[in-house]
Amino acid sequence: MPPLERHALLRPVSREHYDGLMLCWHIRRALTQGGDPDAQMRACADFYHTHLLSHFAIEEEAVFPVLGAEDPLVKRALAEHRRLTRLFMAWEDPLRNLSLIEEELEAHIRFEERVLFQRVQEVATEEELERIDRLHGLLAGAELLS
Ligand SMILES: [Fe+2]
Ligand SMILES: [Fe+2]
């Protein structure tokens, strides 16, 4: 992914995309090396609860509202969150699931980084960016306590 100039207040949320890409890399490696798919799915569910859930929450509560619920980029991102949540929570056919998670999570992150976050930082007010950063700090603090 080419480095994109990201507004300082969006960087903490943007940085979490790197963790998602790392998960995709681990899944790809496990799939090619023939790792245990059930154990991989458990690791994915764990990643979902510890990282992805709060990441989706910040995006849905503070990032997407900058563009509004009717914006086509937001509609696409929300549909992808729902789809990814279903994939992370599914237990049947883990091999197929893992390859879908790997493919779709990576595509979702690249779409957000290259298109949606770019658009958000073009139109967001300083107050909106501060709200994103503040909420990120709050949720990261809550994660440390849990
Ligand atoms: Fe997202
Ligand atoms: Fe994201």
Side-chain angles (χ1 to χ4, degrees), residues 103-120:
E103 200 178 297
E104 296 188 27
L105 181 63
E106 181 166 323
H108 177 69
I109 291 170
R110 294 198 188 281
F111 160 67
E112 286 186 337
E113 278 297 314
R114 290 173 180 164
V115 184
L116 194 147
F117 274 51
Q118 283 302 99
R119 181 79 190 127
V120 163

Side-chain angles (χ1 to χ4, degrees), residues 52-103:
L52 219 45
L53 203 53
S54 63
H55 180 78
F56 283 0
I58 294 165
E59 289 181 333
E60 293 176 17
E61 293 301 318
V63 180
F64 300 168
V66 171
L67 302 179
E70 293 309 309
D71 187 283
L73 302 179
V74 170
K75 286 185 174 175
R76 173 178 164 181
L78 284 172
E80 290 177 359
H81 282 189
R82 285 194 296 273
R83 160 95 179 151
L84 285 164
T85 298
R86 277 200 300 278
L87 289 175
F88 273 92
M89 294 299 107
W91 289 101
E92 69 286 356
D93 205 350
L95 267 182
R96 180 173 175 274
N97 243 342
L98 287 165
S99 93
L100 287 173
I101 287 174
E102 184 270 314
E103 200 178 297

